Amino acid sequence: MQMPSFNGGDFVPYANSPVSAGGDGAPVVHTVHHSMASTPRVLVSWGPGNTLRLSYLPQVVRDGDDDMKISSSREGDAANGQVVEVKLGKKDDQPLAEKRALAYSSAQAFALLQNQKQQMLQSDGGSSRTGTFDWWQAVLEYSQIISATLGPASGPPGSATDFSGFPTKELQASTKPTTVKAIWDLVEIFYVDKNGASWLPERLVEWLASYDAVLSSNTLHTKLTKLQQRLVNLRFPEEEKEYWDGVASALAVGWLDIAVYLLRMHGSYQHDQIDNRNVENGLVETVAVLISKMPRLRPSLPAGAPGQAFDFKPEFSKAWEKWRSQVAKLDGSTYWGECNNITTQKGLKKLLKVLLGSIEDLLLSTTHWMELLVAHLLHVQPFSKVSEGLAGYAVKCVESKGDSGMNESTSANDPLQELTLAILSDDTEVVVAECTRLFDPWLMAHLMELLTAKSKYAQSILREERYALGGISLEELNRLSYAQVLCSHQLTWQLAPVYLSFCPRQGLGILETLLLKQPVSTSDRLALKVLEVCRLYDLGTVATTVNRIVGVHHWKHGRKGAGIAWLQRAQDDRRLAAVADELLESVSLGMSGSQMETLQELEGLVDLLGSELHSSQGLTFLHRYKDFKTGLQIIKKLRKQETDQQKIAEQGRQAADFLLQLLKPQVTPQRFWLPLLRDAVELLEWPEMPLLGIHETNLLLSRLQELSLAKVRGDLEGIDPRDLSRQSLERIRLALACNLGRALLQE
Amino acid sequence: MEVHRIPQGQYVDGLRWLPIPSTLALSLWDADTGLSTLEIAFLQDPEQEGQAPWMETQASWDLSTRTSAMKSSSNQSNIALALASETGSLQVFLIDAMNPSLDSAPLVLERLHKNVPSALDIQKDTLQCVTVGSDGRINLVQARQSGLQGDCLHDNRGVLSYSTVCWASPTEFVLAGHGAGIQWWDNRRPGGAVAQSPAKWVGADGVGSIHTVDVHQSRKHLSVVGGSGGTVLAWDLRRQNELHSLAGRGCKSGSSTGAEGEIWNVKLDPALQVGQGESGKIPPVLMCSEDGILALIESGMTTELAVESCAINSFDVDLELGSEIVCALEHESVLYVKRSS
């Protein structure tokens, strides 16, 4: 994320995005139907990604009681506030979808490596020698996976990898490797791969072959690409200076296949010629053969590639000496006198000088300092190791290339110079600083693993907890900042926990904030995805909060079932009780047709509620109340159908039981007693026999008494005193008295 | 078995096989531009070692909003592709099977639901759509060449929120959601559900919600559902008060190593439905989950077909042999699983 700054008169620099209205780069303006009662307000807030939102809410001026006017001078839309959305920062070259694809695949590799690390720490305490030995190999595997996701492997123009189609195949811009991949691979060579240390020059040759193009705008890659295009139209390329320069350059940096290929394009190979070019052709071919036999200190070469691979140093040393003596012999051969093409003679001699490691020719055949360094290592010091003053050579190469006029605009021409130099010289602080400056947080978050793979020094500076950073290490800082980038996008936020969970100090806190900031009420699916993260990372309290937010949202929008279900997930008894009370209100008053309908609709809900949450008073009541009401309903139906008397009596007894349960202490809120007692009249006046015994009737009587007393005291909570009219109380009292009499008689 | 990831660079809101060989309908959402498109794509499978399959777009149509649910079906004359949009409307594309294209505007019915419609299904022969939503509405919409004719069959005003629906016959369908069990509806009886399963099942702590339902093609009394906590249940209309747990926390079979996250989609495996007419046994069920598992549950055993690092949001099995499965992955890709048939 780039901080806003003043830039050419704009308040904030923003990128023109296709989403912007009109596409002319104007920021998006939303209208909100809201205004402030007191003073107008300006709000500034961050949206997703680099979006900054500036909101303005105008003031509503009250004129008199009802008439409202807006203080803004403009009329029409003046009553509404406005939100301006600006996208900050420069527009990125890389498509966002590609960035996300990288984020997806690298998160997986990162998580795998971290799990391996934890397993290793658990198994052998982490500090044993075998542990660390295995560790760099695990990192190497990780590094190679990430490198593969950064883009396909690529080579110099016309190398074995893309030479097959030459010259018809055009170099495609999309196949150009990325700077990130170049840096990644270079760090891998120097910081991770222990095996590679013994054949460092060759590793660098390979690296340069892949990434020469990204080093600067003026490299051998561009030179050879130009030559490639020219050669298409040339019958006798040996007449051109560029041809020989090209061959020499390719040879200098070790792209032998290109050198050999170019040599075989030499005009002397063509059959339909008048001149006698046998000797000339012989010399060209000899050089080509010598090149393709060049000993290389490396485990293997790709199939078909020129050169001979030697893994064992003494063997290589022998072969190299022998081969050099052959080159020297050819250099001093008498055949040169018989060659009548001066250009060819000169060109070939130059090639031999390159092969013999002539500093002057190497300097002339290379353009970038890195190329010079590689050429130097390959032809002068093929035995170099990392420790052997590589940094010193590198600086010398920079200096000797700096003379050729690149000095003034080094940073513009070669933005990676500082960084590559730092990697070569194992200067971890500078590597970290430069990577942070040049690349987005993705690189640093993932590169940490490479830097700390085997270097004790790097481990100490990157893992040291710093007071200046609020007690966290550089490693954690970089993970946190990358996680925040991930958080800002609705498709990548789910990756952020992977990184945050490996941030020991602040990771969990930020993860909780991230989860709580997700707009969970917009979609159940999103809420469930958030809950899944909570489940994986044991964030019970966050899960509860999320469940509650969603539950309340559903309830407020009239989705009762969903609201209750989510509140139950939250185990929020207090809100469930409130919800149950609200449900009660809607069904408790009387038993008219429409209310019974609601009750039936609620049946499923009450089923769901009642059986599990006995702690909630309201819910238990609702559950039983439903049973009671249904019982009464059934009795009415049965009476209409005039079915078996015994069956009706059974139902009646059951309904009476429900009623008694409802009137037990602590079950029913007082305000529902009256409707219950009214409903009870039907049971009390049961025609066949008294349904309620003496004790039971007494219980009902005492409840009625309590109600009357409450009326006298005037503390009827939630009951309209008019409901407790003399008449209705009398009616109930009479029914109770009758029943009591009948019960006494029966007993 | 082969498993391939095919990146799309756009979020896959829904995907379905069409009854044309190797042809898919995809509803994609571009997070960068905010635009949604419906695409008909041909899945090219080179069937060679080391060569990954890819997709070729045959036709596309710009949608005005994101898709919340998508189903496809066909009768003799047409392929119908029904989409429920986030704004509560229903769109039906009638596609010519001989020449699949998206040239003509779809049939649209606006404002069927107050919120996002949760689910829909389209009947095979009649091309009647049923849409359900969290607002508690059940709508029946008839798709004809002339247009869509819709009717609200039932509205419980949000007392129950429905999240999934599936046709069992031209007049009957099964639905499920929050606050209710599985319900069996008959559109000739609009007053309420004809039958209902218990709302709870063994092992569910609190309330488990159901996200998906599927009905057996030939034994329509048998349905399977998937929901919270890796739960997959079977419900037989003939034994309404029982829910048979196939996977998840309530499952008795200890060998189950299935998913623990939400089950987003279940389907009775069409590849294995034929010839397994044993009435007592529950046929094999395919399912996909939030924790990235695509698996087959067969007589108590869970066989993982694919394990991904991200959520599998939905899947579809090809209509012909049932050997090819496509899944919509959270990480903007399509997962293509080819089983040996």
Side-chain angles (χ1 to χ4, degrees):
Chain A
M1 198 172 286
Q2 192 172 312
M3 289 309 291
S5 60
F6 285 94
N7 182 14
D10 285 338
F11 175 53
V12 281
Y14 53 82
N16 299 357
S17 86
V19 194
S20 306
D24 53 356
V28 189
V29 181
H30 303 284
T31 309
V32 283
H33 301 281
H34 192 74
S35 48
M36 301 304 294
S38 50
T39 46
R41 282 211 185 145
V42 176
L43 306 162
V44 182
S45 63
W46 286 106
N50 285 8
T51 316
L52 184 74
R53 291 193 184 126
L54 303 163
S55 322
Y56 172 69
L57 300 174
Q59 187 186 6
V60 182
V61 178
R62 282 172 195 277
D63 193 8
D65 267 349
D66 302 312
D67 206 17
M68 280 202 252
K69 273 186 189 167
I70 309 299
S71 64
S72 168
S73 57
R74 278 186 297 166
E75 284 176 21
D77 66 337
N80 298 322
Q82 284 187 326
V83 181
V84 183
E85 233 174 45
V86 278
K87 280 225 161 71
L88 297 176
K90 59 179 191 293
K91 201 175 173 185
D92 236 309
D93 297 334
Q94 199 184 5
L96 292 167
E98 256 173 52
K99 277 193 177 179
R100 288 198 302 275
L102 176 63
Y104 296 145
S105 47
S106 51
Q108 206 178 339
F110 178 84
L112 185 74
L113 185 76
Q114 297 301 329
N115 290 337
Q116 280 177 323
K117 190 189 275 181
Q118 281 184 338
Q119 271 172 13
M120 190 191 74
L121 289 174
Q122 276 161 11
S123 61
D124 61 14
S127 57
S128 80
R129 189 157 289 181
T130 51
T132 43
F133 174 73
D134 287 331
W135 181 240
W136 72 261
Q137 284 181 326
V139 176
L140 185 64
E141 222 166 88
Y142 156 83
S143 170
Q144 281 162 354
I145 294 171
I146 299 270
S147 178
T149 60
L150 282 169
S154 50
S159 73
T161 45
D162 74 341
F163 215 48
S164 51
F166 181 82
T168 46
K169 191 173 159 192
E170 293 278 317
L171 217 71
Q172 287 171 341
S174 63
T175 57
K176 195 183 160 189
T178 59
T179 328
V180 180
K181 190 170 156 73
I183 294 304
W184 184 272
D185 283 5
L186 197 62
V187 171
E188 179 190 300
I189 293 171
F190 283 89
Y191 279 88
V192 186
D193 197 351
K194 277 192 180 173
N195 286 342
S198 58
W199 50 291
L200 184 76
E202 286 286 339
R203 298 271 338 238
L204 286 176
V205 169
E206 274 185 4
W207 182 85
L208 189 71
S210 302
Y211 304 113
D212 191 43
V214 302
L215 284 177
S216 86
S217 52
N218 179 26
T219 59
L220 289 186
H221 185 275
T222 38
K223 191 171 153 186
L224 286 173
T225 313
K226 272 184 207 151
L227 178 65
Q228 209 177 21
Q229 284 154 0
R230 275 201 62 157
L231 283 178
V232 182
N233 307 318
L234 287 178
R235 188 167 147 85
F236 297 108
E238 67 271 18
E239 305 299 331
E240 301 287 323
K241 187 175 174 292
E242 283 99 332
Y243 170 73
W244 292 108
D245 282 352
V247 185
S249 297
L251 201 58
V253 291
W255 302 345
L256 302 189
D257 47 353
I258 300 177
V260 171
Y261 182 89
L262 288 173
L263 275 181
R264 299 241 157 100
M265 290 179 86
H266 193 273
S268 64
Y269 282 97
Q270 291 173 19
H271 299 295
D272 50 345
Q273 293 187 61
I274 316 155
D275 309 348
N276 181 3
R277 303 180 73 175
N278 274 343
V279 178
E280 189 188 347
N281 182 243
L283 282 168
V284 174
E285 180 59 24
T286 316
V287 172
V289 168
L290 267 177
I291 291 172
S292 55
K293 289 225 166 122
M294 180 175 173
R296 321 268 307 248
L297 182 61
R298 52 187 293 157
S300 68
L301 277 164
Q308 281 178 295
F310 290 91
D311 200 8
F312 190 49
K313 233 175 208 180
E315 257 180 46
F316 167 76
S317 163
K318 235 181 181 171
W320 197 56
E321 285 306 324
K322 194 178 159 201
W323 176 79
R324 280 188 76 131
S325 72
Q326 283 171 344
V327 177
K329 208 167 142 196
L330 179 67
D331 197 23
S333 153
T334 50
Y335 285 108
W336 294 108
E338 290 171 37
C339 175
N340 37 27
N341 190 328
I342 301 298
T343 349
T344 305
Q345 196 185 340
K346 266 191 180 168
L348 289 177
K349 282 268 187 182
K350 192 179 169 188
L351 296 187
L352 293 182
K353 273 188 191 160
V354 167
L355 288 179
L356 288 170
S358 147
I359 305 279
E360 192 188 335
D361 286 282
L362 291 181
L363 189 61
L364 285 173
S365 306
T366 51
T367 49
H368 193 267
W369 66 266
M370 191 74 185
E371 291 160 2
L372 179 60
L373 179 68
V374 167
H376 187 82
L377 288 176
L378 184 69
H379 296 289
V380 184
Q381 292 182 306
F383 302 104
S384 302
K385 278 187 171 179
V386 182
S387 50
E388 288 167 358
L390 188 68
Y393 292 135
V395 173
K396 269 183 202 153
C397 290
V398 173
E399 277 165 6
S400 47
K401 280 298 169 191
D403 292 340
S404 57
M406 279 185 45
N407 226 356
E408 302 94 49
S409 53
T410 307
S411 60
N413 251 335
D414 189 3
L416 297 177
Q417 180 178 316
E418 285 275 302
L419 180 55
T420 30
L421 267 179
I423 298 172
L424 293 181
S425 50
D426 197 16
D427 193 349
T428 311
E429 282 102 331
V430 179
V431 173
V432 172
E434 281 292 298
C435 283
T436 315
R437 188 174 70 84
L438 292 169
F439 301 102
D440 60 10
W442 176 89
L443 182 71
M444 270 325 291
H446 292 86
L447 202 67
M448 283 292 168
E449 303 306 320
L450 268 55
L451 296 178
T452 56
K454 57 177 186 181
S455 159
K456 284 270 181 303
Y457 176 66
Q459 281 170 16
S460 74
I461 63 160
L462 294 175
R463 301 222 168 110
E464 176 201 353
E465 291 181 348
R466 286 157 197 263
Y467 179 74
L469 298 176
I472 61 172
S473 63
L474 274 172
E475 188 179 56
E476 178 163 353
L477 178 74
N478 281 291
R479 280 180 195 162
L480 285 176
S481 56
Y482 177 57
Q484 276 167 345
V485 172
L486 291 173
C487 291
S488 68
H489 197 280
Q490 51 185 329
L491 292 184
T492 54
W493 71 264
Q494 289 178 75
L495 298 174
V498 174
Y499 296 88
L500 290 173
S501 61
F502 294 106
C503 294
R505 294 265 163 180
Q506 296 183 2
L508 210 61
I510 293 185
L511 179 58
E512 286 184 4
T513 319
L514 156 72
L515 294 175
L516 288 174
K517 285 206 167 170
Q518 291 300 316
V520 284
S521 52
T522 55
S523 123
D524 277 4
R525 198 169 257 256
L526 176 64
L528 289 165
K529 283 183 190 286
V530 170
L531 290 173
E532 173 75 5
V533 176
C534 294
R535 184 180 71 82
L536 288 175
Y537 296 96
D538 268 336
L539 298 169
T541 38
V542 180
T544 308
T545 314
V546 169
N547 279 322
R548 186 185 301 142
I549 293 170
V550 180
V552 169
H553 181 82
H554 277 306
W555 182 264
K556 277 187 175 169
H557 287 79
R559 297 185 288 276
K560 297 190 178 67
I564 291 175
W566 282 92
L567 285 174
Q568 278 197 315
R569 287 177 77 127
Q571 294 180 319
D572 187 340
D573 292 354
R574 202 166 59 83
R575 280 186 184 76
L576 279 171
V579 156
D581 282 352
E582 218 172 295
L583 276 181
L584 279 180
E585 298 289 351
S586 64
V587 293
S588 60
L589 304 160
M591 214 170 73
S592 64
S594 68
Q595 264 132 11
M596 265 328 279
E597 221 170 72
T598 340
L599 194 61
Q600 266 167 359
E601 277 177 349
L602 290 176
E603 198 170 344
L605 287 189
V606 175
D607 259 347
L608 214 56
L609 288 167
S611 50
E612 190 115 331
L613 278 142
H614 289 294
S615 53
S616 162
Q617 185 199 23
L619 293 181
T620 318
F621 165 69
L622 199 59
H623 189 57
R624 291 183 183 159
Y625 186 66
K626 189 214 76 181
D627 291 340
F628 174 58
K629 283 276 192 184
T630 332
L632 291 183
Q633 199 78 335
I634 292 171
I635 292 166
K636 261 190 189 162
K637 216 191 260 172
L638 288 175
R639 285 215 185 275
K640 265 185 205 155
Q641 290 166 349
E642 291 175 16
T643 30
D644 186 12
Q645 285 299 319
Q646 204 185 337
K647 214 173 181 180
I648 298 177
E650 264 172 37
Q651 277 299 331
R653 184 58 229 172
Q654 211 181 348
D657 283 342
F658 287 137
L659 177 70
L660 290 168
Q661 275 177 5
L662 280 168
L663 289 176
K664 269 184 192 164
Q666 297 299 318
V667 172
T668 309
Q670 200 185 35
R671 64 181 183 281
F672 296 114
W673 287 356
L674 192 67
L676 274 178
L677 289 170
R678 273 203 212 108
D679 288 336
V681 171
E682 192 186 340
L683 296 176
L684 292 169
E685 294 175 344
W686 198 257
E688 289 81 15
M689 57 182 165
L691 278 179
L692 295 147
I694 303 164
H695 283 294
E696 294 159 347
T697 320
N698 276 334
L699 178 77
L700 264 59
L701 266 173
S702 65
R703 290 280 175 267
L704 189 66
Q705 198 57 31
E706 278 174 51
L707 271 181
S708 312
L709 283 174
K711 189 191 174 189
V712 174
R713 283 201 307 270
D715 60 352
L716 287 168
E717 201 189 316
I719 309 174
D720 189 349
R722 279 170 295 186
D723 279 356
L724 283 172
S725 64
R726 201 181 154 77
Q727 208 179 353
S728 69
L729 288 179
E730 292 279 276
R731 171 96 175 82
I732 298 167
R733 203 166 275 142
L734 181 69
L736 280 168
C738 284
N739 189 66
L740 191 63
R742 285 163 71 197
L744 276 168
L745 278 176
Q746 199 182 38
E747 278 176 31
Chain B
M1 198 176 62
E2 294 172 46
V3 180
H4 300 282
R5 254 177 193 240
I6 310 172
Q8 301 293 309
Q10 295 181 67
Y11 194 82
V12 185
D13 277 336
L15 84 177
R16 305 291 298 179
W17 284 109
L18 293 179
I20 311 165
S22 299
T23 306
L24 282 165
L26 294 148
S27 176
L28 300 168
W29 176 65
D30 191 325
D32 301 330
T33 59
L35 301 175
S36 289
T37 38
L38 177 70
E39 283 189 4
I40 294 181
F42 188 74
L43 200 142
Q44 296 274 12
D45 189 358
E47 301 205 346
Q48 271 174 1
E49 279 294 313
Q51 261 194 301
W54 72 94
M55 294 215 269
E56 254 176 43
T57 306
Q58 307 274 304
S60 74
W61 181 269
D62 291 340
L63 299 169
S64 53
T65 50
R66 287 183 71 171
T67 305
S68 64
M70 176 160 87
K71 285 277 175 83
S72 66
S73 197
S74 61
N75 60 11
Q76 289 86 354
S77 46
N78 283 309
I79 298 170
L81 195 59
L83 286 84
S85 81
E86 276 196 338
T87 51
S89 65
L90 174 75
Q91 286 177 296
V92 177
F93 291 85
L94 293 174
I95 299 160
D96 182 2
M98 291 293 113
N99 176 29
S101 66
L102 292 170
D103 298 334
S104 49
L107 311 168
V108 186
L109 205 58
E110 299 281 355
R111 271 181 234 102
L112 275 174
H113 292 273
K114 279 181 213 139
N115 308 82
V116 182
S118 299
L120 71 101
D121 197 15
I122 180 161
Q123 226 285 322
K124 197 165 159 269
D125 303 307
T126 61
L127 297 189
Q128 192 174 34
C129 301
V130 54
T131 69
V132 296
S134 55
D135 56 354
R137 273 173 181 245
I138 304 169
N139 291 304
L140 288 172
V141 181
Q142 182 62 50
R144 291 196 189 84
Q145 289 285 3
S146 53
L148 298 179
Q149 279 188 326
D151 217 356
C152 179
L153 179 76
H154 186 78
D155 184 359
N156 64 34
R157 296 180 301 281
V159 170
L160 301 179
S161 288
Y162 300 119
S163 58
T164 177
V165 64
C166 182
W167 282 106
S169 77
T171 54
E172 294 153 303
F173 54 88
V174 177
L175 50 78
H178 276 304
I182 311 162
Q183 293 185 342
W184 178 276
W185 283 72
D186 190 325
N187 61 21
R188 294 162 296 190
R189 293 171 62 185
V194 178
Q196 184 166 347
S197 82
K200 285 174 173 293
W201 53 87
V202 187
D205 50 346
V207 189
S209 43
I210 293 172
H211 309 307
T212 169
V213 64
D214 190 35
V215 182
H216 197 282
Q217 277 177 12
S218 51
R219 288 145 62 186
K220 67 173 189 179
H221 52 84
L222 183 71
S223 48
V224 287
V225 296
S228 312
T231 309
V232 180
L233 304 164
W235 183 55
D236 196 326
L237 193 59
R238 297 172 302 182
R239 286 183 290 276
Q240 294 176 19
N241 293 326
E242 289 171 31
L243 278 168
H244 190 81
S245 186
L246 300 178
R249 265 170 279 173
C251 192
K252 282 182 206 99
S253 56
S255 63
S256 172
T257 53
E260 288 175 21
E262 309 294 318
I263 302 290
W264 291 127
N265 210 353
V266 289
K267 222 171 181 71
L268 286 149
D269 193 349
L272 301 166
Q273 273 192 22
V274 196
Q276 299 210 342
E278 246 181 285
S279 60
K281 226 171 99 184
I282 290 148
V285 182
L286 283 163
M287 59 96 166
C288 71
S289 76
E290 173 68 27
D291 39 3
I293 293 170
L294 176 75
L296 180 71
I297 305 165
E298 193 175 8
S299 41
M301 289 290 291
T302 307
T303 320
E304 282 164 0
L305 301 179
V307 181
E308 287 297 307
S309 59
C310 62
I312 302 180
N313 289 325
S314 71
F315 72 91
D316 196 21
V317 191
D318 81 308
L319 309 155
E320 213 173 323
L321 294 168
S323 60
E324 292 174 61
I325 306 170
V326 281
C327 311
L329 296 186
E330 182 74 17
H331 288 174
E332 298 173 69
S333 340
V334 169
L335 188 77
Y336 173 52
V337 180
K338 201 170 164 191
R339 297 188 280 179
S340 44
S341 46

